[in-house]
Amino acid sequence: MKELGKDALHEVNGGTMTLPSWFKGSIWVIAAGYIIEHWAELKSGIVDGYTDGMNSN
């Protein structure tokens, strides 16, 4: 018996796709930009949802 290497384990088990660190960081920057850009709409949606939830009791 021989120990499987990283490539063989990846082939057998499928593994996960590895993303470069710059790509992972850019996802957070894009998400933060979207939230900042649409903050007024997001805030009003949260307030409306909370108000509707409190009035449904």
Side-chain angles (χ1 to χ4, degrees):
M1 292 184 79
K2 181 174 126 177
E3 195 172 310
L4 294 175
K6 186 177 181 181
D7 293 335
L9 284 173
H10 184 60
E11 226 175 274
V12 171
N13 295 329
T16 60
M17 187 174 89
T18 57
L19 298 172
S21 61
W22 64 266
F23 185 75
K24 292 177 187 176
S26 65
I27 291 173
W28 289 110
V29 170
I30 291 169
Y34 181 85
I35 290 170
I36 291 169
E37 190 173 317
H38 296 93
W39 178 245
E41 298 163 12
L42 291 169
K43 188 170 88 171
S44 73
I46 292 169
V47 169
D48 289 346
Y50 179 79
T51 305
D52 290 346
M54 294 305 289
N55 290 336
S56 68
N57 290 333

